[in-house]
Amino acid sequence: MPTYRAPRGTRDLLPETRAGFSRLEGIARSLALRYGYREMEIPLFEQAAVFERGIGEATDVVEKELFRIAPRTEDSESWALRPEATAGIVRAYVQHGMQALPPPVKLSVVGPMFRYDRPQAGRYRQFWQWSAEAIGDPGPAVDAEVVEMGLRFYKEAGLPDVQVLLNSIGDAACRPAYLETLKTYFSGHEAQLPALDRRRLDTNPLRLLDSKDPAMTALIASAPKMIDRLCEACAAHFTSVRVHLDALGVSYRLEPTLVRGLDYYARTAYEFYRQGAEGQQQALGGGGRYDGLVELLGGRPTPAIGFALGLDRVVLALAETGATVSHEASPLAVIVGADPADTVSRLRVASLLRSEGLSVRAELAPRKLGRQLETASKEQAHFAVIIGDELADGHVQLKDLKAGTQHLVPLADLARDLARAEKTHHHG
Ligand code: AMP
């Protein structure tokens, strides 16, 4: 048992896994570019109030999972690690006067989030998300665009069976009356409610629809649905979102009990699941419209929509499908030498090739040439550059380890020849 271990609920992403994450981050960045979202960074922590106000006190994320940090100062400020990016992005949007920019302002953040939750499969205390936010557009067209971008992410990642569950959760005009109806309904079954849900009846009745307690399943199924009680404007908005999705060829499933866990959402709400894995814990990502958030965090009233896609669960899902998540890169060439002690020449040739953009390894162990070559073959290098007496007049031996051939190459041509060989052999 090692003395020190990564904290519970966190993971070291070892190189092979890190490569899988990097690939997903690459897809996210490429999609952000294609859809016009500009990448930015926000701090890993904020004043806790940004989350308490922005996410809502009566949510799991704030109530139970907020990862509070206590710096060693007399400072009365209270801080927390970010549990999601939207609140921080909107805080930055307001702080930097982005309301003056032509709307929508489309922003993208990729990075780790923190929730002090009970760790389990697919649920970590540090996990990675791609968040995309389109701020300043009331939709409905942009709602369909952002859903389509999410689905495209999963497709390009290698999960073509992901589908979107869609709902509308109304707005300030129609939701209050619905919440009353919902409260009355659940109050009528109060004895059946688990303690947490009973408490939520007053603070956040919508959350009862999101309850993971099996005792709630039947009650939720027959609860009144927001979708049947949308005001005219919300109903028209939702119809139009669906028309746009149809036009894009995006199929979706209506899910009237889908609510987002965070308070600031309005109208369009959606989640991404793999087909057949629609369990509560299995969402790969989710998002929705949050028309009230900018104002809540001190800006002018501004409509907005976005999503947060979890990268960890995509990596897990890809592993389940048996897909090769990443290729471990082997070097194109290993630089070996007839004189085991001459590490200077090997390092200089390696440095020269690296400056030309090639991926090579210099053998720096003072071993016999035969052993050096053996190691190069074992690590699947395509070539060995062998440094011998010929170096005196500017030549090295280039050995193709796969083909078993070898010839003399002027040092001045080496980078060009290797680059050409890399292209024709599709190395790696
Ligand atoms: P949420 O902000 O809760 O809607 O989460 C959006 C997505 O982030 C989820 O669908 C998950 O893929 C991912 N996610 C949320 N919490 C965790 C967690 N504790 N561990 C791993 N992934 C998470």
Side-chain angles (χ1 to χ4, degrees), residues 118-423:
R118 196 165 50 81
Q120 50 188 287
R123 190 165 290 272
Y124 307 102
R125 288 180 173 171
Q126 176 174 348
F127 57 98
W128 274 258
Q129 280 185 345
W130 172 33
S131 304
E133 318 290 348
I135 307 174
D137 188 331
V142 74
D143 301 40
E145 186 187 52
V146 76
V147 167
E148 191 221 18
M149 178 166 76
L151 284 171
R152 186 158 279 161
F153 172 79
Y154 296 113
K155 204 186 224 169
E156 295 189 5
L159 294 175
D161 63 341
V162 172
Q163 66 167 349
V164 60
L165 307 191
L166 186 69
N167 194 19
S168 173
I169 55 172
D171 68 1
C174 49
R175 200 161 45 194
Y178 169 69
L179 292 183
E180 280 310 312
T181 313
L182 200 60
K183 222 157 122 176
T184 310
Y185 167 78
F186 280 119
S187 301
H189 300 85
E190 202 167 340
Q192 285 163 261
L193 300 182
L196 178 68
D197 289 310
R198 200 172 311 153
R199 255 184 287 132
R200 285 211 168 121
L201 207 48
D202 286 321
T203 52
N204 195 350
L206 202 60
R207 291 302 315 284
L208 271 68
L209 294 176
D210 207 19
S211 174
K212 281 142 196 137
D213 200 306
M216 292 289 286
T217 315
L219 271 185
I220 291 171
S222 37
K225 306 287 185 285
M226 183 73 236
I227 194 99
D228 303 324
R229 290 168 172 75
L230 294 175
C231 60
E232 226 170 277
C234 283
H237 190 277
F238 193 49
T239 303
S240 184
V241 171
R242 297 173 61 182
V243 167
H244 283 85
L245 286 172
D246 291 340
L248 290 174
V250 171
S251 56
Y252 53 85
R253 221 179 77 192
L254 287 182
E255 183 49 71
T257 62
L258 187 148
V259 294
R260 297 290 300 148
L262 315 179
D263 266 355
Y264 50 66
Y265 286 97
R267 294 191 167 169
T268 314
Y270 55 95
E271 279 182 348
F272 298 104
Y273 285 90
R274 290 189 69 201
Q275 256 150 39
E278 289 89 351
Q280 291 278 7
Q281 309 284 344
Q282 306 284 351
L284 289 174
R289 178 159 282 290
Y290 48 93
D291 292 348
L293 182 60
V294 177
E295 191 179 9
L296 205 63
L297 292 180
R300 282 197 306 274
T302 308
I305 187 166
F307 64 46
L309 311 187
L311 303 190
D312 304 71
R313 290 186 193 167
V314 173
V315 170
L316 287 173
L318 284 170
E320 265 171 38
T321 65
T324 316
V325 176
S326 70
H327 298 277
E328 279 291 270
S330 50
L332 174 66
V334 176
I335 321 303
V336 299
D339 175 2
D342 186 10
T343 45
V344 166
S345 299
R346 299 204 283 281
L347 208 49
R348 282 179 56 197
V349 170
S351 172
L352 173 85
L353 296 174
R354 288 165 179 158
S355 75
E356 297 293 329
L358 297 170
S359 154
V360 302
R361 183 177 74 80
E363 178 56 74
L364 299 180
R367 293 185 295 180
K368 288 219 173 80
L369 179 58
R371 293 292 305 282
Q372 297 181 42
L373 284 167
E374 253 171 51
T375 314
S377 298
K378 249 189 229 151
E379 69 187 293
Q380 305 282 322
H382 200 136
F383 295 96
V385 174
I386 307 171
I387 297 172
D389 297 339
E390 308 89 343
L391 190 65
D393 54 52
H395 285 75
V396 292
Q397 294 280 351
L398 182 59
K399 185 178 171 92
D400 186 326
L401 293 167
K402 309 244 152 136
T405 55
Q406 182 171 328
H407 64 281
L408 205 60
V409 180
L411 200 51
D413 296 344
L414 183 62
R416 193 200 57 196
D417 287 5
L418 278 171
R420 194 176 291 158
E422 182 179 37
K423 256 193 213 127

